[in-house]
């Protein structure tokens, strides 16, 4: 096997693509020349020193009855399940505390003194992430939310929680069978000819098994909610909500960060993930969008079998294909991978306004090239909804990146902000220009492996992109930091949209290195004509 490397500009859709020879091989290594910005946890709360001034104290007294009422009602809704989770939380807290204490003990024996990362204790990014992992499914999901929301959380936490993986041991098949019998209300073999006892995937919330339907003998996948998961989520999210309410009460400055509102959004989003009726609805909405826009020959989403789907069980058509990062397999399925990527982009961009919701997790495991050449969109547990106003501003933002028009970029970000503050747009534009000038200095290496078979002269070319997830948010972390310095706050869908664009950027570098996503006329970013779909269904 031969390998070679080529440096290419990072985030090429932002600037331009360099030609990538077919004989090169990429292993993605990102080097940043920009200086990391220091962050001290306590500096976030420096403005709260006047908390107990007479005015603040009066406001606190007035808000106390509402806080107590909220806590009591939340506790009632949680019920006895909260006691068990509290005990598990205490155990996890003690475990991570012991880790921290052991690290402290090692550091105190050193002449260098206590490292900065140990000083905030269990509230430091590293130990908080470790605590979340010990607490299980809910907190792993919360960690992933933090990792994907740089508009809401400090960069050190966003980067650390990139390491919060969603891989858990599988639930024994006997328990899965028990859930299936309970949910379906009849013997399993009356619905499925066969259910593979070995799961295709096991995440923190659900487990997926391959199966074959009775009668039609169609291949399907069954997504099963893990036992007790809904109770755990409700208990955990209610606890997080109460903590947020108390923190905001004790420090009114935090209300400016919309902490309670963020927690409410997280709670609503995560509870949607454990209600497979809602995921089924998301899938069906996307399939209707494809049909209404005459896109079913270009893309698809799995058909949902309603008669064997419930709140905790989702039976879907099994799609066969490969992720968009599997260049070797893609080249064997289609002659023009670039055309397939353009199709995926147009279908996804079209869904932003023409569908009830857009797919908000298009990583390689959820976006496939199918054997029949169509693009397959999988797993609609995480979706986003965007208002026309926000998308109009987003379009201007993307267009301004493509032509490096920083004045328009600044204006679009100001328009996207939820506040009504007076912003010095020209100064803001100059600061954005400084951010993007550092991006041009970033390097990436993509390594493509070439190999020849022992009995043939044919050379096979394969490639994949290995990405350090902590680098995924580097671009808009800087953009958000500059924006926040002007008092700007963005809606959550801004981060969701940019996250998906960075995923598509990966696929572009691999499948179409000469393609400029934001300037190519074959890619329809603008929303012209997308109202046809909504007109038909409203």
């Amino acid at each position: 096997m031969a390998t070679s490397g080529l440096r290419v500009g990072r985030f090429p859709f932002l600037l331009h693509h360099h030609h990538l020879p077919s004989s090169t091989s990429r292993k993605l290594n990102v080097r940043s020349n920009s200086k990391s910005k220091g962050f001290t946890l306590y500096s976030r709360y420096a403005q709260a020193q006047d908390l107990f001034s007479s005015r603040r104290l009066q406001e606190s007294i007035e808000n106390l009855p509402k806080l107590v009422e909220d806590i009591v009602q939340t506790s009632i809704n949680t019920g006895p399940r909260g006691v068990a989770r509290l005990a598990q939380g205490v155990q996890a807290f003690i475990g991570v505390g012991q880790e921290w204490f052991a690290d402290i003990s090692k550091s105190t024996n050193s002449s260098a003194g206590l490292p900065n990362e140990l000083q905030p204790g269990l509230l430091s990014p590293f130990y908080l992430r470790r605590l979340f992992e010990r607490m299980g499914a809910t907190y792993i999901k919360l960690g992933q939310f933090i990792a994907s929301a740089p508009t809401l959380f400090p960069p050190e936490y966003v980067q650390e929680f990139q390491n919060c993986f969603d891989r858990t041991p599988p639930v024994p098949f006997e328990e899965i069978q028990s859930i299936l019998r309970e949910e379906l209300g009849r013997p399993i073999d009356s619905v499925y000819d066969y259910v593979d006892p070995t799961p295709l995937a096991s995440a923190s919330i659900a487990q997926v098994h391959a199966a074959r339907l009775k009668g039609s003998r169609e291949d399907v996948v069954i997504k099963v909610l893990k036992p007790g998961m809904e109770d755990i989520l409700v208990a955990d999210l209610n606890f997080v909500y109460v903590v947020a309410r108390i923190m905001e009460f004790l420090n009114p400055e935090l209300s400016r960060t919309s902490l309670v509102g963020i927690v409410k959004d997280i709670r609503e989003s995560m509870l949607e993930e454990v209600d497979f009726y809602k995921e089924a609805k998301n899938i069906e909405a996307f399939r209707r969008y494809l049909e209404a826009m005459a896109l079913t020959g270009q893309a698809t989403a799995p058909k949902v079998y309603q008669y064997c789907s419930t709140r905790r069980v989702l039976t879907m058509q099994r799609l066969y294909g490969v992720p968009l990062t599997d260049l070797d397999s893609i080249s064997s399925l289609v002659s023009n991978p670039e055309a397939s990527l353009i199709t995926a982009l147009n279908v996804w961009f079209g869904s932003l306004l023409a569908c009830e919701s857009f797919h908000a997790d298009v990583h390689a495991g959820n976006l496939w090239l199918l054997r029949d050449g169509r693009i397959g969109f999988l797993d609609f547990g995480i979706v986003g909804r965007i208002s026309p106003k926000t998308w109009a501003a987003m379009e201007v933002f993307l267009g301004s990146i493509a032509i490096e028009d920083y004045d328009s970029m600044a204006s679009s970000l100001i328009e996207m902000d939820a506040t009504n503050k007076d912003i010095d747009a020209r100064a803001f534009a100059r600061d954005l220009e400084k951010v993007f000038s550092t991006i041009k200095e970033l390097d990436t290496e993509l390594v493509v492996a070439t190999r020849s078979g022992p009995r043939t002269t044919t050379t096979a070319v394969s490639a994949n992109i290995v990405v350090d997830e902590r680098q995924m948010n580097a671009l808009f972390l800087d953009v958000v930091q500059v924006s926040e310095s002007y008092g700007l706050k963005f809606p959550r869908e801004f981060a969701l949209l940019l996250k998906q664009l960075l995923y598509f950027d990966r696929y572009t570098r691999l499948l179409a290195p000469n393609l400029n996503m934001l300037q190519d006329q074959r890619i329809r970013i603008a929303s012209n004509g997308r109202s046809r779909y909504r007109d038909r269904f409203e």
Side-chain angles (χ1 to χ4, degrees):
M1 177 182 293
T3 61
S4 58
L6 176 72
R7 288 183 182 173
V8 296
R10 184 162 175 246
F11 304 117
F13 79 82
L14 298 174
L15 304 170
H16 61 278
H17 279 287
H18 300 270
H19 180 63
L20 179 64
S22 60
S23 62
T24 51
S25 151
R26 283 180 171 171
K27 176 179 181 184
L28 196 61
N29 264 324
V30 181
R31 282 205 319 262
S32 172
N33 295 327
S34 57
K35 296 180 180 179
S36 60
K37 300 174 179 63
F39 172 79
T40 304
L41 183 66
Y42 306 107
S43 67
R44 283 274 172 182
Y45 311 109
Q47 295 180 348
Q49 294 176 352
D50 62 342
L51 173 64
F52 295 107
S53 66
S54 58
R55 183 175 59 84
R56 293 285 176 85
L57 184 58
Q58 180 63 32
E59 290 177 357
S60 297
I61 293 173
E62 291 174 356
N63 292 331
L64 183 58
K66 177 60 178 174
L67 172 66
V68 173
E69 179 186 347
D70 213 357
I71 292 175
V72 170
Q73 187 59 52
T74 303
S75 300
I76 293 172
N77 294 339
T78 304
R81 54 194 167 191
V83 178
R85 283 301 283 164
L86 178 61
Q88 293 170 356
V90 170
Q91 186 177 6
F93 189 86
I94 292 173
V96 176
Q98 290 173 339
E99 290 182 23
W100 176 78
F101 185 75
D103 290 340
I104 282 284
S105 300
K106 294 175 186 176
S107 298
T108 53
N109 295 329
S110 169
S111 59
L114 193 65
N116 290 336
E117 62 268 20
L118 293 178
Q119 292 176 9
L122 300 193
L123 290 179
S124 69
F126 174 78
Y127 293 103
L128 193 60
R129 192 257 301 173
R130 294 285 296 131
L131 179 62
F132 276 27
E133 289 176 339
R134 281 177 175 259
M135 287 291 289
T138 309
Y139 291 87
I140 289 173
K141 287 290 182 184
L142 284 172
Q144 292 171 345
F145 180 89
I146 292 171
S148 64
T151 61
L152 303 176
F153 299 97
E156 283 73 12
Y157 289 83
V158 171
Q159 292 172 5
E160 180 61 40
F161 278 94
Q162 302 293 334
N163 299 312
C164 206
F165 298 112
D166 189 15
R167 295 193 297 265
T168 59
V171 171
F173 186 57
E174 293 75 18
E175 294 186 41
I176 296 297
Q177 288 178 307
S178 176
I179 294 172
L180 287 174
R181 282 191 294 267
E182 179 183 344
E183 289 295 305
L184 298 174
R186 52 192 183 276
I188 296 174
D189 59 11
S190 70
V191 179
Y192 308 104
D193 266 339
Y194 168 77
V195 179
D196 191 342
T198 303
L200 291 172
S202 178
S204 58
I205 286 178
Q207 191 159 302
V208 179
H209 288 260
R212 185 173 296 120
L213 287 178
K214 191 86 170 178
S216 68
R217 299 186 63 80
E218 294 178 74
D219 288 345
V220 296
V221 292
I222 312 170
K223 187 174 182 179
V224 183
L225 187 67
K226 290 186 174 180
M229 189 52 58
E230 191 168 7
D231 283 347
I232 291 172
L233 279 176
V234 170
D236 288 351
L237 293 171
N238 283 349
F239 172 73
V240 172
Y241 174 75
V242 168
V243 170
R245 287 284 285 116
I246 293 173
M247 288 178 65
E248 198 169 278
F249 174 77
L250 294 176
N251 186 355
E253 285 293 326
L254 286 177
S255 62
R256 294 175 56 194
T257 67
S258 304
L259 180 63
V260 171
I262 292 168
V263 170
K264 282 183 177 179
D265 288 343
I266 294 173
R267 181 166 60 174
E268 181 179 340
S269 173
M270 290 181 65
L271 289 178
E272 279 192 9
E273 282 195 67
V274 297
D275 183 350
F276 291 162
Y277 283 132
K278 292 184 178 179
E279 182 171 350
K281 182 180 177 182
N282 294 336
I283 295 172
E284 292 302 326
F286 191 80
R287 286 173 61 86
R288 289 198 303 271
Y289 151 69
L290 294 176
E291 291 172 5
M293 303 298 284
L295 295 170
T296 53
Q298 302 175 43
T300 190
K303 175 184 175 183
V304 175
Y305 296 88
Q306 301 287 356
Y307 74 93
C308 48
S309 294
T310 69
R311 185 182 178 88
R312 296 198 296 160
V313 172
L314 184 59
T315 303
M316 299 172 285
Q317 170 191 12
R318 185 173 185 181
L319 300 179
Y320 291 94
V322 296
L324 283 191
T325 51
D326 189 345
L327 178 61
D328 203 18
S329 297
I330 288 173
S331 297
S332 69
L333 291 174
V334 294
S335 59
N336 188 356
E338 181 178 289
S340 297
L341 175 61
I342 290 171
T343 295
L345 282 163
N346 282 331
V347 170
W348 183 79
F349 275 123
S351 71
L352 292 179
L353 285 184
C355 189
E356 296 168 22
S357 58
F358 65 88
H359 197 302
D361 197 20
V362 291
H363 63 70
N366 291 339
L367 192 61
W368 288 8
L369 178 66
L370 304 182
R371 291 176 182 175
D372 62 10
R374 293 186 297 172
I375 299 296
F377 287 80
L378 288 71
D379 194 342
F380 284 74
I382 301 177
V383 298
R385 295 171 180 84
I386 186 168
S387 68
K389 177 177 181 274
T390 300
W391 176 239
M394 189 73 181
E395 284 184 299
V396 175
F397 174 73
L398 295 177
S400 63
I401 291 176
I403 60 175
E404 300 182 46
D405 182 349
Y406 300 106
D407 290 318
S408 294
M409 191 186 302
S411 298
S412 65
L413 291 174
I414 292 170
E415 181 66 22
M416 211 179 298
D417 176 47
T419 63
N420 293 313
K421 296 182 178 179
D422 291 328
I423 305 294
D424 186 341
R426 182 165 293 278
F428 184 30
R430 300 291 76 79
D431 285 342
L432 287 171
E433 184 174 6
K434 292 176 185 176
V435 169
F436 279 82
S437 66
T438 65
I439 292 172
K440 296 179 184 179
E441 299 170 6
L442 300 178
D443 290 331
T444 48
E445 281 184 59
L446 182 61
V447 190
V448 179
T450 60
R451 59 185 183 278
S452 299
R455 300 179 182 178
T456 178
T457 58
T458 303
T459 300
V461 180
S462 63
N464 210 336
I465 298 178
V466 180
V467 178
D468 182 352
E469 290 293 335
R470 288 172 297 182
Q471 297 295 333
M472 276 286 292
N473 294 299
L475 165 65
F476 50 97
L477 271 176
D478 284 342
V479 172
V480 168
Q481 281 185 328
V482 169
S483 302
E484 285 184 343
S485 70
Y486 286 86
L488 294 170
K489 294 292 181 185
F490 302 126
R492 183 191 171 213
E493 58 259 32
F494 175 67
L496 280 177
L497 287 168
L498 281 178
K499 182 82 170 184
Q500 310 322 304
L501 290 173
L502 291 177
Y503 279 129
F504 278 116
D505 178 54
R506 293 188 196 179
Y507 309 143
T508 301
R509 279 180 290 163
L510 183 60
L511 302 177
N514 293 317
L515 178 71
N516 188 311
M517 189 194 311
L518 302 181
Q519 290 184 317
D520 196 294
Q521 294 300 310
R522 295 169 295 175
I523 299 172
R524 299 181 297 274
I525 295 179
S527 54
N528 296 335
R530 291 183 189 165
S531 61
R532 286 191 295 127
Y533 171 80
R534 287 196 165 180
D535 291 342
R536 290 183 57 177
F537 288 93
E538 286 183 350

